[in-house]
Structure formats: structure tokens, C-alpha cells
Amino acid sequence: MEKTRERLPERGGTPGGQGCLVAAVRLPVRIVALVVVLPLRMLWDLVVATGRLLWTAVLGPAWRGLDRTARWLGRRLVLTPARWVYRWLLAPAGRAVAFVARGLGWLLLRTGRGIAVTGVWLARWLVAAPAEALYRWVLAPLGRAAASAGRWLWRSLRQGGRGAAAAVAWLGRVLVAIPAAWLYRWVLTPLGHGLIWLVRWLVVAPAVALYRWVLTPLGHGAARCARGVAAVTVWLVRWLVVVPLRAVGRVLAVVLREAGEALGHAWRVAGRISLAAGRLLLRLLRWILVDPVRWAYRAVLAPAGRLVRDTVLRPLGRTARAAGRGVRDTVAAARLTVRELRQEVRTALFGSPRKAPAAPLPRDRREPAGPGARTLGSSTTALTKD
């Protein structure tokens, strides 16, 4: 009992530890939601019941009938003709096409093989053999002769080119290397050192001093100003935008949550009310229409029907059956009389019909059998013979 006992709300609070806003919003919202949702739920239940009734009584049988009709028509108008067309038209045509294709493939294969053999023979004797002869008896001797001439020419040029190379090397050293070394040592090196000194003290040193004593303090000041502005902006956005929006969001969340719960609760309560109203209407319909009709059937129509059946219909049925039997007997007797009269007239006019001679019995041509062997249950005396 102690576990199932509900806890009382604390002083100054609401049940479940909820705020006053929730308690102030919940009841009006649920009342308004119930008032709004109840007609919709009753209309929805009416539409659902009507749809089920229509499906059970009209749409379901109609759909099943249409389905069966469509299947029957599909089998009769589509499958059977398609099967006939496939069996008697497409399959023979396909087999004929396959046969023709196999014949054409065989013919093309044989033709291609003959053309390939002919081409190989022609290429061998019209291209390969002349090319081999040309290479062996013309190009190879010419190539060997050209190689011998080239080697002789190279040996001649190499022997005459050693002196020319020594002369070119001496001229290059005296006219190019020594003047270039002197120009690099006494002209370009002092000029480069001077340019480096000028760039160092006229460009690099002022740039370093400007960066260290001007740009760095300005950058630090700008960074501090930016941090201060950002902090002020963040503080303003927080207290002027975020905090109010958070409060409004909490209020809206509470309102929307309570509205959703109220709508769900109202939908369930409206469902129960709609169910009770439907049951009440069914009970009233039963009391007003079904029970009087049932009582009238049981108390008035059924006894009246039994009375009419016992006093009128059954005697009429017995009389009709007796009359039918009498008519059938009369008709049978008249038919038998007419048949006998017709037989007598035929006999008087044409005589009695001849009877067909009896067929002779087949003669037994086997040898007569001897007396049977004695057994324990047989006897040959006159007193005990079976």
C-alpha cells in the first residue's frame, strides 16, 4: 500500500515537480483541445465505420469480382492467345530462324576459312617470299657494304680529329676559361658583395626595424581592440538575443509539449466518448428498430406463418400430391392400353413375329472321363452315396 500511495506535492510546488507555467497552461489547453478534437474524432470514427461497411458490403465483393473477372479475361484473352501464338507461330518461326542462322553460320565459317587459307597462301607467296628474297639477296649485302664503309670513314675521322680537338681545347681555355675566371674574381664578386651590403642596410634593416617597432605594436593594439570588441559583442548578443530567445524557446517548448500531450489526451478521450456515443446509438437503434422487429417476427409473423402452413399450405400440398399421383397413374394406364392396342393391331395385320431359332449347344468332343478317385469323404454304396 505504501508503494502504490501517491506522493503529495510539496508546499509551493506542483505535482511531479513541474512549474507553475505548466500547471497554468495544461488545463485550458486540454479543455480547448477536447472541444476542438471531439467533433473531428467522431467524424473520423464515422468515416472509418462507413468505410469498413462499404468495404465489407460493396467494395470488397466488387473488388473480388473484378479481380476474378480480370483474371478470367486475362487467361481467355491474353494468356491463351499468347500461348497459342508462342506454340504455333513464334516457336516454329524461332526454330526456322535458328536453322537458317546455323546454315548461314556454317556457310560463313566455311567461306571465311577458305578466304583465310587463300589469303595466307597469297601473303606467303606474294609478300613474304619476295620480301625474304629482297632482304637476303639485296638489302643484306647493301647493309654490310654500308657498314664497312661507315667503319672505315669513322676510323679516318677519329685519327684526323685528335689534333683538331687539342687545338679547340687550347683555344677554349685561352679565349674563354681564363677571361671568365678573371671577370668573376675581380668584377662580379666585388659587385655582388656591394649589392648585398646595399640590400642589407637599405632594405632588410629598415624593414626589420619597421616590423619590430611599428607594425608589431600596432598589430598587438589592433588584436586587443578586436578582442575587446568581440567580447562586448558576445556579451550583448548573449544578453540581448540568446537569453531572451532561450526563455522564449523554453516557454514555447512547454506550450508545444503541453499542446501535443493535450491533443493526444483529447484524441484518446474523444475516442472513448465516440465509442460510448456509438454504443448508445447502436443500443437506441436496437431498442427502437431491431427489438420491435424481432418481437413482431417471433410473436406475430412466425405463428401466423405456422398457422398458414398447417391449415392451408400442407393440405394444399397433400391434395396436389394426391392429384399428381392420380394423374400419373391415369397416364401410365392410358400408355399401357395404347401399347397393348398397338401390339394387337400389328398382330392382326402382319401376324405374330417369328421367333429366332435357338442356337445349337456346342458338342463336347472330349473323351469321357473315368470314375473319380475315392476319398475319405466319398462312398460307393447305395446307402451312403451322396
Side-chain angles (χ1 to χ4, degrees), residues 35-118:
V35 173
V36 173
V37 169
L38 180 59
L40 296 177
R41 180 57 187 266
M42 296 185 69
L43 181 62
W44 172 256
D45 291 339
L46 180 61
V47 170
V48 170
T50 306
R52 289 178 181 175
L53 180 61
L54 287 176
W55 176 258
T56 303
V58 180
L59 298 178
W63 175 257
R64 289 190 290 271
L66 290 176
D67 186 24
R68 293 176 182 174
T69 305
R71 290 183 180 180
W72 185 83
L73 290 176
R75 286 195 298 270
R76 293 295 183 271
L77 299 179
V78 178
L79 292 180
T80 302
R83 189 180 300 168
W84 184 86
V85 169
Y86 174 76
R87 180 177 296 176
W88 301 106
L89 294 179
L90 297 180
R95 287 192 287 269
V97 170
F99 177 77
V100 173
R102 286 196 295 270
L104 290 176
W106 181 83
L107 181 61
L108 292 176
L109 180 62
R110 296 296 180 182
T111 306
R113 187 176 297 175
I115 292 173
V117 172
T118 305

Side-chain angles (χ1 to χ4, degrees), residues 309-327:
R309 183 190 63 188
D310 295 337
T311 58
V312 178
L313 297 179
R314 284 183 178 177
L316 287 178
R318 287 194 293 268
T319 304
R321 286 193 295 272
R325 284 194 296 270
V327 171

